[in-house]
Amino acid sequence: MMKRYLFVLVSFVLGSAAAIPVDVTDFSGTAIHYGFDGDVVGSTTAGDGNAWFSNGEVSSYWTYPDFSAPIYRDGSDSLAIRVDFLAPVSALGMNFTSTHTNTSLSLYNSSGALLESYTMSTYDMDGCPDELFNYPCDFIGVDYGLNDVSYAIIDTESDSDDLWVDNLIYQSVPSLAMVSEPSTLGILVLGLAGLVVARRKRMSPL
């Protein structure tokens, strides 16, 4: 019976390490930044050798404090911007702006299984400073907690919405500060394992 309780608790701890929405300030100094600098405007793919964007094109359309042309744009169509990673990562995020709609960042493993998805409501987004059309823009990021993220998709809820992204940031564990919290729970699990061993010894015949 004690084994079963321990197994359940371990499963809970491992599950609690996943899917933490993060801000750009939560990434460490070892995180990798990529901002389309030097990419050819009009290119449908762009990347830094490990992270590659597709389903859109490099654009020089906007330049604002959080967006410095060139940036990446999906256009008013059904395609969603996809970011593939040659080496899987644990956390990623980017600046984005969209035409007044909720925006989602979804993480997938190498088998195409959805690991986690986080949706930011339009009402929670900041506005782009001095933006002509007053489109909402913000940073969206997710820490999955394990180096299992092979690709990510950022998309809006409507096919007719424009979406622009810039300033990708990504990294692998154990860089984020959030990782330390599951570690504390792991110590608790080890303590319970010690209790199981002690209980067995106490119940063993002399």
Side-chain angles (χ1 to χ4, degrees):
M1 184 64 70
M2 184 66 73
K3 277 186 176 180
R4 172 179 287 181
Y5 292 150
L6 184 59
F7 174 78
V8 171
L9 183 55
V10 169
S11 300
F12 169 77
V13 169
L14 293 177
S16 68
I20 304 174
V22 290
D23 191 61
V24 65
T25 56
D26 295 316
F27 289 79
S28 77
T30 61
I32 298 173
H33 298 256
Y34 170 67
F36 307 101
D37 296 331
D39 288 316
V40 178
V41 172
S43 299
T44 56
T45 59
D48 63 2
N50 186 58
W52 288 95
F53 282 78
S54 59
N55 293 346
E57 67 175 7
V58 179
S59 171
S60 60
Y61 187 68
W62 282 4
T63 298
Y64 295 103
D66 291 335
F67 292 84
S68 179
I71 60 176
Y72 201 77
R73 173 177 181 260
D74 77 335
S76 303
D77 55 37
S78 60
L79 295 178
I81 293 176
R82 173 168 168 156
V83 190
D84 285 271
F85 296 96
L86 183 62
V89 302
S90 63
L92 69 125
M94 66 195 80
N95 291 106
F96 74 94
T97 184
S98 58
T99 50
H100 304 289
T101 186
N102 298 339
T103 301
S104 299
L105 178 62
S106 303
L107 312 183
Y108 298 83
N109 64 16
S110 59
S111 299
L114 177 65
L115 299 174
E116 189 57 52
S117 183
Y118 171 64
T119 300
M120 181 175 286
S121 168
T122 302
Y123 299 104
D124 295 329
M125 298 177 193
D126 296 329
C128 295
D130 303 320
E131 207 288 299
L132 178 62
F133 301 106
N134 196 31
Y135 289 165
C137 60
D138 213 314
F139 178 89
I140 187 169
V142 175
D143 173 22
Y144 181 65
L146 300 171
N147 295 333
D148 288 342
V149 182
S150 292
Y151 69 94
I153 290 177
I154 181 170
D155 197 14
T156 58
E157 61 185 8
S158 173
D159 290 345
S160 62
D161 293 320
D162 264 336
L163 176 65
W164 296 265
V165 298
D166 196 10
N167 304 320
L168 171 70
I169 183 171
Y170 64 91
Q171 64 186 37
S172 303
V173 291
S175 298
L176 284 181
M178 281 73 171
V179 175
S180 62
E181 182 179 348
S183 297
T184 302
L185 291 176
I187 293 173
L188 175 60
V189 171
L190 291 176
L192 287 175
L195 289 176
V196 172
V197 174
R199 185 171 182 269
R200 279 184 172 180
K201 288 183 177 180
R202 194 166 55 246
M203 295 176 64
S204 299
L206 297 176

